[in-house]
Amino acid sequence: DTAVSQTPKYLVTQMGNDKSIKCEQNLGHDTMYWYKQDSKKFLKIMFSYNNKELIINETVPNRFSPKSPDKAHLNLHINSLELGDSAVYFCASSQDIRLPYEQYFGPGTRLTVT
Amino acid sequence: AQSVAQPEDQVNVAEGNPLTVKCTYSVSGNPYLFWYVQYPNRGLQVLLKYITGDNLVKGSYGFEAEFNKSQTTFHLKKPSALVSDSALYFCAVRDKIMGGGGNKLTFGTGTQLKVEL
């Protein structure tokens, strides 16, 4: 059973398009995250939700909008895609945002904008 | 603000030899520290974490790390490296909860470990 799953695994699209990435966790965790890993493998947090409430909102263009329909799902919608958005996007979850539990990562979505 | 430095982009070691991957952190107060590993085309998985207590932390696959508060280091070690240990390793520090900051992890830039026969 996959603990944190993401779809799609690969996404190739043109500049200006709008796309979504979906994430689901079956661990019963309260907190979910979105990270961006660039071509140099640098990993940076974008957003965090705790029980559907936005907790962390880093300096990210407002073309990126997370949505959490329930605590098991956190989707990422990106409007007007740009070349610089090309990266691997990871979803993660942890048990409770208040405590230093480890985060469990999904397999990643490789986004390529042409 | 907190930060993590991994001074080596790549570490090469022969199989059977001990390995060390370095990490230096900066954080207000007491840190929570983690080591994650990323295999090619995979997500990250936690190897070990330091929250409190014993400075020597043992983790998965024979890895361990030592928390050194005075030197602000959390180096990852293994007594005998395997070829299968070859991967990208990330050190991470957790920010203190202040207001709405929450459980934010700051990752280092990663160290590529290459273990050769």
Side-chain angles (χ1 to χ4, degrees):
Chain A
D1 288 341
T2 304
V4 182
S5 59
Q6 297 178 227
T7 54
K9 188 166 184 177
Y10 299 96
L11 186 52
V12 181
T13 187
Q14 292 184 327
M15 286 174 52
N17 285 349
D18 303 338
K19 291 293 179 184
S20 292
I21 307 171
K22 295 185 176 182
C23 178
E24 176 181 3
Q25 54 95 3
N26 62 5
L27 297 167
H29 288 169
D30 286 344
T31 309
M32 296 184 74
Y33 311 81
W34 277 111
Y35 287 88
K36 179 180 180 180
Q37 187 175 45
D38 64 21
S39 58
K40 295 185 178 180
K41 305 295 185 181
F42 185 66
L43 197 67
K44 186 169 185 212
I45 190 166
M46 301 173 69
F47 303 103
S48 174
Y49 271 74
N50 186 61
N51 276 322
K52 302 195 303 176
E53 179 186 357
L54 182 64
I55 298 296
I56 296 172
N57 186 356
E58 291 294 282
T59 307
V60 175
N62 57 15
R63 299 181 293 104
F64 290 78
S65 53
K67 285 186 172 56
S68 182
D70 55 62
K71 74 174 191 177
H73 296 84
L74 180 62
N75 303 323
L76 183 65
H77 188 75
I78 315 170
N79 289 327
S80 304
L81 278 154
E82 300 178 356
L83 292 176
D85 298 331
S86 295
V88 181
Y89 292 84
F90 287 101
C91 178
S93 72
S94 67
Q95 191 168 347
D96 186 334
I97 197 170
R98 296 166 296 178
L99 296 172
Y101 290 106
E102 55 266 38
Q103 296 181 14
Y104 291 80
F105 283 75
T109 296
R110 184 175 295 275
L111 172 64
T112 303
V113 183
T114 61
Chain B
Q2 77 289 334
S3 63
V4 178
Q6 292 181 243
E8 301 153 318
D9 290 338
Q10 181 160 320
V11 170
N12 297 322
V13 64
E15 189 174 54
N17 283 359
L19 68 88
T20 299
V21 182
K22 296 179 180 177
C23 172
T24 303
Y25 68 88
S26 174
V27 68
S28 301
N30 294 317
Y32 302 130
L33 293 157
F34 301 81
W35 274 102
Y36 283 82
V37 60
Q38 185 179 22
Y39 297 102
N41 301 313
R42 303 283 295 276
L44 281 71
Q45 58 186 86
V46 66
L47 274 178
L48 50 83
K49 65 180 181 181
Y50 172 80
I51 304 301
T52 187
D54 195 349
N55 289 344
L56 184 62
V57 180
K58 293 190 182 298
S60 305
Y61 313 120
F63 284 92
E64 60 188 28
E66 185 165 9
F67 170 61
N68 187 318
K69 188 172 183 178
S70 62
Q71 298 188 3
T72 64
T73 59
F74 191 58
H75 300 332
L76 181 69
K77 299 185 178 185
K78 186 173 181 181
S80 179
L82 299 172
V83 172
S84 57
D85 293 330
S86 298
L88 184 60
Y89 290 81
F90 290 95
C91 184
V93 65
R94 183 191 160 186
D95 200 356
K96 285 167 56 175
I97 295 179
M98 296 179 69
N103 184 14
K104 185 168 73 174
L105 274 183
T106 295
F107 286 85
T109 49
T111 298
Q112 185 71 47
L113 175 66
K114 189 173 182 182
V115 182
E116 298 171 310
L117 290 170

